[in-house]
Amino acid sequence: VAEITGDGEHAWLAPAPSVDGLAKAMLAAHQAPDRSDRAAAARAWAARFSLEAVADRLGDLLEGRVR
């Protein structure tokens, strides 16, 4: 998961299945001074995987192979 989230750039990570680790990550996220910037980065990152974005990329790929 760390690789997918940009090593924590787009998310706060917690060790599984640690409840204490999850609680610490949640507190760190809440208290982080860069929380707004990281949340915006996460939204931009997630937008790449919206249905519309994936369909557009797939259409571009298919059109490229047809030509």
Side-chain angles (χ1 to χ4, degrees), residues 30-46:
H30 178 69
Q31 296 169 347
D34 65 342
R35 181 176 61 174
S36 296
D37 293 337
R38 287 176 75 174
R43 284 189 295 276
W45 179 83

Side-chain angles (χ1 to χ4, degrees), residues 12-67:
W12 283 266
L13 305 176
S18 172
V19 173
D20 289 337
L22 178 59
K24 288 178 184 176
M26 291 172 71
L27 285 173
H30 178 69
Q31 296 169 347
D34 65 342
R35 181 176 61 174
S36 296
D37 293 337
R38 287 176 75 174
R43 284 189 295 276
W45 179 83
R48 300 179 329 164
F49 303 101
S50 71
L51 179 58
E52 183 178 354
V54 171
D56 286 345
R57 284 196 304 274
L58 180 58
D60 292 344
L61 176 67
L62 293 173
E63 286 177 3
R65 290 194 177 174
V66 171
R67 292 179 195 173

